[in-house]
């Protein structure tokens, strides 16, 4: 699945499209093809081609304005206005919006006697569980063994910028911290939020054969995934 932000950035790499997009964003209202063409000095036909690319990338919305007052009946002109897509490209990928959302929800829902840190960890676990639950319903994986669960977890977290790497058949390390460089300002808090989010994610996914463990490493995510160690009582009951 193509990342819409990267696709939008690729479309904006063209100078003409970037100039027209900037002109439309600065305009007080919807812009016609003729106005967009005049803004960069190209033909209406060529402007229509570039405008359609911007619409396909989710950067613009197209609609129809009022017919021009020319004294005769005519078709309403096609007009363009900015869409809601916010283009921010970072390599490696960052998830500052996710962290900000967790902290905002923590402030809004902090209960009596609950510390700010505890509220943030609670909300992070809830957000992670929601993500895992949504993925579980989409994939319907059933009960997963540790190795298969690690594969599923890696595929999902790859889409969220964690850059998972299989260190052993039963261990996945995350090479990128999506919350960097904010994690450097308060590693105890941010790493705690990250751990709570990823542990909640495993819970929502139903990956009971895995554990999310805090294991800080320089330049990498502070959490890694490994096979859960069965309780001693369970091991004895199986005769191991």
């Amino acid at each position: 699945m193509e990342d819409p932000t990267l696709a939008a950035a690729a479309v904006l790499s063209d100078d003409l499209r970037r100039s027209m997009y900037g002109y439309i964003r600065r305009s007080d209202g919807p812009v016609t093809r003729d106005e967009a063409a005049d803004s960069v000095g190209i033909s209406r036909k060529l402007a229509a081609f570039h405008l359609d690319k911007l619409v396909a990338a989710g950067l613009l919305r197209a609609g129809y304005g009022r017919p021009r007052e020319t004294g005769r009946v005519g078709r309403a002109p096609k007009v363009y206005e900015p869409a809601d897509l916010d283009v921010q490209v970072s390599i490696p990928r960052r998830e500052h919006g996710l962290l900000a959302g967790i902290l905002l929800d923590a402030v809004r829902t902090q209960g009596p006697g609950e510390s700010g840190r505890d509220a943030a960890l609670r909300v992070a676990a809830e957000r992670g569980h929601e993500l895992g639950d949504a993925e579980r319903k989409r994939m319907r994986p059933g009960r997963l063994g540790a190795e298969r669960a690690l594969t599923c977890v890696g595929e999902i977290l790859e889409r969220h910028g964690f850059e998972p790497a299989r260190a052993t058949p039963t261990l996945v390390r995350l090479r990128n911290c999506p919350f960097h460089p904010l994690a450097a300002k308060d590693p105890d808090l941010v790493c705690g939020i990250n751990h709570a989010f990823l542990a909640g994610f495993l819970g929502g996914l139903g990956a009971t054969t895995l554990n999310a463990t805090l294991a800080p490493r320089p330049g990498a995510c502070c959490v890694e995934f490994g096979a859960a160690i069965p309780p001693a009582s369970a091991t004895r009951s199986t005769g191991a």
Side-chain angles (χ1 to χ4, degrees):
M1 182 184 297
E2 188 176 25
D3 187 321
T5 301
L6 292 179
V11 168
L12 289 174
S13 65
D14 183 275
D15 291 341
L16 283 174
R17 290 176 202 151
R18 191 166 60 251
S19 295
M20 279 195 293
Y21 179 65
Y23 171 75
I24 292 169
R25 286 195 63 85
R26 293 189 299 270
S27 297
D28 292 332
V31 171
T32 66
R33 287 177 175 174
D34 289 325
E35 291 168 335
D38 290 344
S39 73
V40 293
I42 59 176
S43 69
R44 184 178 185 275
K45 184 176 181 179
L46 183 56
F49 168 78
H50 288 301
L51 289 166
D52 287 344
K53 291 286 186 181
L54 290 166
V55 170
L59 290 160
L60 295 180
R61 285 193 296 264
Y64 290 91
R66 294 181 179 180
R68 296 181 182 86
E69 296 183 7
T70 58
R72 59 182 181 179
V73 177
R75 291 183 60 189
K78 198 167 187 178
V79 295
Y80 301 85
E81 58 185 339
D84 296 329
L85 182 64
D86 185 14
V87 182
Q88 296 182 20
V89 178
S90 174
I91 300 175
R93 182 172 171 176
R94 304 302 183 200
E95 290 279 4
H96 295 155
L98 171 60
L99 180 59
I102 288 171
L103 294 173
L104 283 172
D105 281 351
V107 171
R108 284 196 293 259
T109 64
Q110 185 176 351
E114 186 179 33
S115 70
R117 174 186 170 82
D118 288 345
L121 296 181
R122 171 179 53 77
V123 172
E126 292 169 354
R127 287 286 190 93
H129 194 279
E130 290 169 3
L131 172 63
D133 185 56
E135 291 289 348
R136 178 182 57 79
K137 291 175 179 175
R138 183 180 67 83
M139 297 188 307
R140 297 181 179 178
R143 179 173 172 79
L144 299 174
E147 291 193 36
R148 175 59 183 151
L150 282 170
T151 299
C152 289
V153 165
E155 291 172 354
I156 296 166
L157 294 182
E158 181 72 37
R159 302 199 298 267
H160 292 272
F162 284 93
E163 296 185 355
R166 200 71 165 265
T168 73
T170 57
L171 177 65
V172 164
R173 291 191 173 123
L174 307 176
R175 291 176 292 190
N176 178 50
C177 172
F179 301 144
H180 184 80
L182 296 177
K185 295 184 176 181
D186 193 335
D188 183 57
L189 174 60
V190 176
C191 288
I193 289 173
N194 192 21
H195 181 230
F197 175 79
L198 293 173
F201 164 70
L202 288 184
L205 189 64
T208 58
T209 55
L210 299 183
N211 277 335
T213 306
L214 269 174
R217 292 180 297 126
C221 180
C222 58
V223 177
E224 63 185 27
F225 294 96
I229 300 174
S233 59
T235 302
R236 286 195 299 271
S237 68
T238 59

